[in-house]
Amino acid sequence: MARDHLIRVSDLSVTYCADEGMPIRAVDGISLEISPQEIVGILGESGCGKSTLAGALLRLLPPGAKSEGGILFRGLELMNLPEAELRALRGREIALIPQDPALSLNPVITAGVLIGEVLRAHLPLSAAERRQRVKELLCEVGFDRPEEIYSAYPHQLSGGQRQRIAIAQAMACRPGLLVADEPTGKLDATLQSEIIELLSKIRQQHGTAILIISHDPAILAGFSDRIAVMYAGRIVEVGSSAEIFGRPLHPYTQALMRIASSMITSAGVISRFPAIAGESPDPGCIAEGCRFEPRCSERMDVCSQRYPQTFLPEPSRLVNCFKYGE
Amino acid sequence: MNYILRRLLRAMLLLVGVSALCFLFTEMAPGSFFDEMRLNPQISPETIAALRSSYGLDQPLAVRYARWVNAALRADLGYSIAYNAPVAPLLWSRAKNTLLLTTCALAITWLISVPLGVWAASRRGGLVDRAVTLASSFVISVPELVIAVGLLALVVRWRILPVGGMMSADSDALSMLAKLKDVARHLALPAFILILCETSIIVRHVRASVLEVLGATYVQAARGLGMSQSRLLFRHVLPVAANPAISLLGFSLAGLLSGSLIVEVVCGWPGLGPLILEATLSRDLYLVIGGIMFSALFMIGGNFVADMMLIVVDPRIRKEGVDAR
Ligand SMILES: Nc1ncnc2c1ncn2[C@@H]1O[C@H](COP(=O)(O)OP(=O)(O)O)[C@@H](O)[C@H]1O
Ligand code: SF4
Ligand SMILES: [Mg+2]
């Protein structure tokens, strides 16, 4: 191991085995490291396997899903950790902010209790101490009047407020790693930047490493330290935020950035990518070669024959494309 | 509150609807109480006509219905021709027995169904789950009447319980406690039949609603934050699953009431069932209508109680006063 990473994912794959039809390999051989206090962005189109990757990191996948590979967290191999120890780890050491807070908050439990439940699961606090901690957490995620929010049910809160509750839940036990799955996906532009600001503040104050998932480059710009670009279940390029935005190497990243720059100028809600010409491949049936090949304007003969290995065109940059080596 | 008012209004409308349909159907049904008298040459047609008009049966349907509603509002449900007595007290003396039977059956059904359904759902595919699924589909596939008659035959053959009526002939001489025990022994068979049939339905519904909530995104999210399995079940799943289960309470009361009509007849339990059957066969018009109205009242009342209980468990209804379903 080069540096002491917080988490080190190596050759991680997840296959959904549906009852009927082909098994779907939603995550295919992903390797990624996150250092303590680092913010890493995962950028990729809808359906490329981002949420599956997030779930796999917590070993929290639906019953039909099989995962292989290695996940080393603080020297602990999560892939062969028993369920009881995983439970103790989830929410305490690694916490997930799920994709849609409208669906991920229990409708019959008040916001305060929802946050308190996380504390209760991991820390030996009295009810009064817990209540106090929850109020502090509510202030921390930006509520002026925690009393009111404490006893509100999720359906009484706005989308932005619900997202803050989900963040407070995830932050309750001061985890080392926060996995935020599209934390701004359902919000408008102002709320998006507020949530991003909040996450930045959390990293500053608590040194929490954050893996932030988004389909929108504008969200990651200026926030994440490094960005991994994902395409059809694989990471195709990794680099620092400045490098990815300033000088993208992979043709897919380049296409993304062209679209993004034209969208950043026209302000407004960015909910989905306008399609890059062509469609991303069906994860059920994937061909041998480079997965971006059918949509790539720079494809070569070799591209359809085998998958491009990882090249290191510059130190600290990874790219999977035959333009950078043979 | 808005929600309560609307539920109350709905209950009233239902009662009006049921009573109107009752009148319409009894009007359309062939035959009348006086058919047999007409065959008797000793009774003159004039006598029958006089009788008919004395019961108000010569009036048009709308007039009869209006009169009945007017009287019913003052708890007068008309006059039974066969018993030659007012309908309401007659029905009430029987309805008490039906209520005793159905509330006992309802309570025990739920005491069994909820833990069993939750257990089956939380260990999905396990031994209990498979046993519950198999046994309940077996009971559901056999008609209630067949189960009732079959169990009655067994009880009679083995002489384990008294059959017919709700107390022994000599019960007047017994002490209070012995009397209670006597009633309980008479109640056991009809109650058991009802519980068996109803539990097999309710346990499946409970299981299904717990399974649905277990698969919800927010339960998965709570799991992702490290909640233990039992905490998840009792604090995060069951309060949500309680909503459909409570709606089911009203539904199960309906099932028990209609089931009890049959079971009472088969087991000779002196409730509304045998009375309504008898009244229907003899075309004792107001007794039939009154009996059906009593049943409907219990059913609608039960549903109303369930609706009120929902306010307690579901904050979406409680806080907003809106129907969240
Ligand atoms: N529970 C599941 N069962 C089967 N396939 C799934 C399941 N969840 C996701 N998938 C498939 O895996 C792929 C990746 O999904 P997901 O990880 O949700 O992508 P993203 O979060 O990037 O939009 C998709 O093709 C999706 O259809
Ligand atoms: S490997 Fe070939 S097809 Fe794939 S992105 Fe690079 S140039 Fe395009
Ligand atoms: Mg997703």
Side-chain angles (χ1 to χ4, degrees):
Chain A
M1 229 183 297
R3 274 177 295 159
D4 45 341
H5 297 295
L6 178 68
I7 190 170
R8 187 185 154 98
V9 179
S10 41
D11 206 17
L12 181 70
S13 298
V14 179
T15 314
Y16 289 109
C17 303
D19 293 337
E20 71 277 354
M22 292 275 292
I24 295 173
R25 207 170 171 81
V27 166
D28 191 2
I30 280 186
S31 299
L32 184 71
E33 299 87 33
I34 302 173
S35 305
Q37 316 210 356
E38 190 183 25
I39 298 183
V40 174
I42 299 274
L43 179 61
E45 282 167 302
S46 208
C48 72
K50 306 183 296 295
S51 296
T52 305
L53 174 64
L57 289 186
L58 283 99
R59 303 289 324 279
L60 198 71
L61 291 167
K66 277 206 284 276
S67 51
E68 323 156 61
I71 304 170
L72 202 64
F73 178 81
R74 288 190 169 143
L76 210 60
E77 179 50 65
L78 304 192
M79 288 306 269
N80 38 35
L81 215 57
E83 182 60 30
E85 285 174 50
L86 283 172
R87 188 194 75 72
L89 193 99
R90 293 182 193 129
R92 179 90 175 84
E93 304 273 358
I94 308 180
L96 178 68
I97 303 173
Q99 187 157 358
D100 187 353
L103 299 176
S104 64
L105 298 178
N106 193 310
V108 305
I109 304 182
T110 57
V113 175
L114 277 170
I115 300 168
E117 279 290 291
V118 186
L119 293 169
R120 194 196 152 95
H122 299 290
L123 306 175
L125 298 175
S126 73
E129 289 169 326
R130 218 163 40 226
R131 211 184 157 85
Q132 186 53 37
R133 278 288 295 127
V134 169
K135 290 199 182 130
E136 289 164 19
L137 280 160
L138 283 171
C139 291
E140 196 180 310
V141 296
F143 287 111
D144 302 331
R145 278 179 285 183
E147 299 286 344
E148 265 170 44
I149 299 295
Y150 192 101
S151 52
Y153 288 93
H155 70 275
Q156 297 169 314
L157 302 173
S158 70
Q161 288 174 322
R162 283 190 213 125
Q163 189 58 271
R164 287 173 197 277
I165 298 296
I167 293 174
Q169 279 190 302
M171 279 310 292
C173 300
R174 305 279 176 244
L177 175 65
L178 211 54
V179 180
D181 192 354
E182 313 244 13
T184 60
K186 291 254 155 53
L187 305 175
D188 66 39
T190 1
L191 285 172
Q192 281 186 351
S193 55
E194 279 178 30
I195 294 293
I196 292 299
E197 247 167 62
L198 174 61
L199 290 174
S200 299
K201 197 185 84 186
I202 285 173
R203 194 259 297 254
Q204 250 171 27
Q205 288 181 349
H206 305 288
T208 316
I210 301 177
L211 181 72
I212 178 169
I213 289 172
S214 181
H215 60 242
D216 181 0
I219 296 296
L220 303 180
F223 173 58
S224 39
D225 303 320
R226 277 192 307 138
I227 291 178
V229 181
M230 225 176 135
Y231 187 79
R234 292 197 166 177
I235 287 180
V236 294
E237 176 170 6
V238 182
S240 74
S241 198
E243 287 165 341
I244 294 281
F245 279 95
R247 218 161 27 79
L249 296 180
H250 196 282
Y252 174 60
T253 319
Q254 289 168 353
L256 282 186
M257 292 309 153
R258 273 198 300 279
I259 296 161
S261 58
S262 69
M263 294 213 326
I264 288 169
T265 49
S266 63
V269 187
I270 305 165
S271 57
R272 239 192 107 91
F273 272 132
I276 299 171
E279 277 181 28
S280 61
D282 179 355
C285 48
I286 275 172
E288 300 263 306
C290 170
R291 288 174 185 187
F292 190 55
E293 190 259 347
R295 297 162 85 183
C296 182
S297 55
E298 301 174 64
R299 62 177 157 258
M300 301 166 275
D301 287 345
V302 63
C303 299
S304 61
Q305 285 156 16
R306 58 193 162 87
Y307 190 80
Q309 64 269 43
T310 306
F311 300 105
L312 287 88
E314 293 156 35
S316 89
R317 285 199 90 169
L318 309 177
V319 62
N320 293 72
C321 172
F322 286 120
K323 277 169 69 188
Y324 304 95
E326 189 69 37
Chain B
M1 250 183 2
N2 201 354
Y3 171 81
I4 301 179
L5 272 181
R6 257 184 305 153
R7 289 295 140 140
L8 210 56
L9 194 69
R10 195 177 74 166
M12 306 283 227
L13 280 177
L14 270 171
L15 275 178
V16 171
V18 170
S19 61
L21 277 179
C22 264
F23 266 83
L24 210 61
F25 284 143
T26 47
E27 174 78 2
M28 279 154 44
S32 104
F33 185 79
F34 304 102
D35 285 353
E36 246 170 79
M37 289 190 192
R38 287 206 180 88
L39 295 179
N40 188 339
Q42 302 202 315
I43 302 175
S44 70
E46 288 77 31
T47 317
I48 293 174
L51 260 178
R52 269 175 62 87
S53 77
S54 79
Y55 287 107
L57 294 179
D58 52 347
Q59 301 289 327
L61 183 66
V63 175
R64 274 192 284 136
Y65 182 56
R67 279 184 186 172
W68 181 87
V69 170
N70 194 19
L73 290 176
R74 283 172 282 111
D76 174 6
L77 293 177
Y79 209 76
S80 159
I81 313 175
Y83 282 82
N84 198 17
V87 164
L90 199 61
L91 280 171
W92 180 239
S93 67
R94 297 297 203 94
K96 278 187 297 194
N97 302 341
T98 293
L99 271 183
L100 175 67
L101 175 61
T102 45
T103 42
C104 281
L106 187 76
I108 298 177
T109 294
W110 280 84
L111 283 177
I112 298 173
S113 300
V114 169
L116 205 57
V118 170
W119 191 4
S122 65
R123 298 229 194 296
R124 187 183 194 174
L127 200 65
V128 173
D129 188 25
R130 276 179 299 167
V132 163
T133 312
L134 195 72
S136 62
S137 37
F138 175 74
V139 174
I140 289 171
S141 63
V142 180
E144 202 158 13
L145 186 62
V146 174
I147 292 180
V149 171
L151 282 174
L152 179 70
L154 281 184
V155 165
V156 168
R157 161 166 292 205
W158 292 341
R159 296 168 186 283
I160 32 181
L161 286 171
V163 168
M166 64 183 289
M167 46 189 88
S168 309
D170 57 354
S171 74
D172 281 344
L174 297 172
S175 69
M176 194 61 201
L177 199 71
K179 243 186 218 168
L180 255 169
K181 211 177 138 198
D182 187 44
V183 172
R185 281 169 56 80
H186 282 82
L187 183 68
L189 178 65
F192 180 78
I193 298 168
L194 285 178
I195 291 164
L196 186 68
C197 295
E198 200 59 20
T199 299
S200 60
I201 297 170
I202 301 302
V203 76
R204 293 173 80 100
H205 284 286
V206 171
R207 174 182 175 273
S209 59
V210 171
L211 273 183
E212 190 188 327
V213 180
L214 269 174
T217 311
Y218 48 81
V219 173
Q220 190 71 0
R223 195 173 276 133
L225 290 165
M227 317 275 165
S228 69
Q229 196 63 29
S230 61
R231 185 74 185 163
L232 215 54
L233 186 65
F234 289 105
R235 186 68 184 87
H236 295 251
V237 173
L238 294 190
V240 186
N243 182 331
I246 288 174
S247 310
L248 205 63
L249 196 71
F251 165 81
S252 75
L253 187 69
L256 279 173
L257 274 170
S258 65
S260 74
L261 297 185
I262 301 171
V263 171
E264 283 173 2
V265 171
V266 172
C267 299
W269 180 260
L272 284 175
L275 186 67
I276 293 179
L277 180 68
E278 201 183 294
T280 312
L281 291 179
S282 65
R283 310 276 188 272
D284 194 350
L285 192 64
Y286 288 109
L287 193 53
V288 175
I289 293 172
I292 294 173
M293 288 310 289
F294 255 68
S295 287
L297 194 67
F298 291 162
M299 218 175 280
I300 292 166
N303 271 308
F304 185 73
V305 170
D307 284 339
M308 294 304 105
M309 283 169 72
L310 271 185
I311 298 181
V312 180
V313 299
D314 199 319
R316 288 168 293 189
I317 297 173
R318 183 168 65 232
K319 290 264 175 172
E320 308 290 304
V322 294
D323 193 347
R325 275 165 301 155

